[in-house]
Amino acid sequence: SIPDTSLSYIPDDGFINVGNKTTLESNDLLPILSTLRYFPQKSARKFCYTFQVIRGGKYLVRTIYFYGGFDGGKQPPVFDQIIGGTKWSVVNTTEDYANGMSSYYEIIIGAHAKTLSVCVARSNQTAENSSPFISAIEVLSLEDSMYNSTDFRTEALVAVARSAFGNEDSISFPDDPYYRLWQPFTDKNEVVSTQTSVSSSDFWNKPPEKAFSKAIAAGVGKKLEIQWPSGSLQSTRYYVSLYFQDNRAASANSWRVFSVAVNGKTFYNNLNVSTGGVTIYSAEWPLSGPTKITLTPDAKSSAGPLINAGEVYQILPFGRRTLAKD
């Protein structure tokens, strides 16, 4: 059980019947990182967990990894993870582990059958004497309205970034009942606090109310530019959702209007941001390399632009599916 929440984790024995279990010797690890399952068998490439799901349901799947030198080595193995028969990503935890951190990966996926397979697999990047491993898996049900501009019959959404701008702490359960993790993001821009609250139920992706408590902002008549997500993105299609709320007390004669551009390309023109909050999104937006979001105020706007939160997911087309008998 996780202190201060109602979350509890159960053993994985009922979901997989291969692999070896071990406990890491460190005393200061979180309980979900202190044990892991690894797969030394050389006779197979892919090792799968099977979860009972509701066909047609929508799920957030999170895999968590912490190497801990379980095999006596100094560097984590590199391997693939596969979901529903489609390669999800490469698991390379080397940099995080060198910094004393665990690694996690997230995907939002539709269930095409009554079971969902989540697998780790050897690849040509997996060293000969190393073993794929996993520390924890979370499979969480999402409401039908969430991320419903994506056709989950043919695509999934791989999480790239989910940030609460201006916040200094992460936001997750219980503030987000869907257990999404909203990472803090601050830069050189001004941070402002809101004076009114919003209701998550008014937004189809249901961002937590706490994500609107802070924002990064620019002064009246000034542009707001942020480099986000951090790092360089693979050249492909992405789902992008941005969240805004006027942080001031409601006023009939006070306007906060600005246009949004992503890498110089118009994302939304003349966005009127109220105290009730607003979302703008693109179900498919091309991104490549570094990403810059620019908010340009309308000449008549009585307040400068601001942004509260954002989500970016890489669109993953489904490939071949795992055969039910496998």
Side-chain angles (χ1 to χ4, degrees), residues 39-226:
F39 305 93
Q41 298 89 339
K42 301 291 177 65
S43 58
R45 172 178 169 264
K46 185 168 69 168
F47 310 93
C48 295
Y49 286 83
T50 302
F51 297 97
Q52 300 296 318
V53 292
I54 298 173
R55 188 185 190 119
K58 194 178 299 178
Y59 295 88
L60 186 150
V61 178
R62 182 185 291 117
T63 53
I64 302 171
Y65 301 91
F66 184 74
Y67 171 56
F70 73 89
D71 55 2
K74 295 183 178 180
Q75 197 163 17
V78 178
F79 49 93
D80 289 345
Q81 56 185 0
I82 296 168
I83 190 162
T86 294
K87 181 179 174 180
W88 168 4
S89 69
V90 174
V91 176
N92 188 343
T93 66
T94 304
E95 183 177 349
D96 283 342
Y97 183 66
N99 292 320
M101 299 188 300
S102 60
S103 304
Y104 72 92
Y105 300 79
E106 283 184 3
I107 191 169
I108 297 173
I109 190 169
H112 302 118
K114 294 181 180 179
T115 59
L116 177 66
S117 65
V118 180
C119 317
V120 294
R122 297 182 181 277
S123 71
N124 56 12
Q125 297 184 66
T126 309
E128 176 65 25
N129 295 320
S130 66
S131 302
F133 72 97
I134 191 162
S135 302
I137 303 180
E138 299 162 0
V139 181
L140 303 138
S141 180
L142 299 179
E143 293 190 25
D144 288 341
S145 70
M146 300 172 70
Y147 309 100
N148 63 5
S149 63
T150 298
D151 185 353
F152 286 100
R153 295 171 299 178
T154 59
E155 297 173 332
L157 298 177
V158 178
V160 175
R162 186 188 299 114
S163 298
F165 299 117
N167 277 268
E168 296 180 352
D169 300 312
S170 297
I171 300 170
S172 190
F173 191 89
D175 295 301
D176 188 327
Y178 307 98
Y179 202 19
R180 292 167 297 181
L181 181 64
W182 300 75
Q183 298 279 14
F185 180 93
T186 55
D187 57 11
K188 65 181 185 302
N189 290 298
E190 178 188 4
V191 175
V192 296
S193 298
T194 188
Q195 299 180 35
T196 56
S197 60
V198 299
S199 173
S200 292
S201 61
D202 292 340
F203 299 83
W204 63 345
N205 286 349
K206 304 188 184 303
E209 293 178 20
K210 201 170 182 179
F212 291 91
S213 63
K214 298 285 183 67
I216 55 177
V220 179
K222 295 182 179 179
K223 287 184 179 181
L224 176 64
E225 292 186 342
I226 60 171

Side-chain angles (χ1 to χ4, degrees), residues 301-318:
S301 181
S302 59
L306 86 178
I307 184 169
N308 296 82
E311 297 180 272
V312 175
Y313 298 87
Q314 182 179 333
I315 296 171
L316 177 68
F318 278 127

Side-chain angles (χ1 to χ4, degrees), residues 27-43:
N27 295 322
D28 57 353
L29 288 176
L30 293 171
I32 64 167
L33 302 181
S34 63
T35 61
L36 58 84
R37 185 179 289 268
Y38 66 100
F39 305 93
Q41 298 89 339
K42 301 291 177 65
S43 58

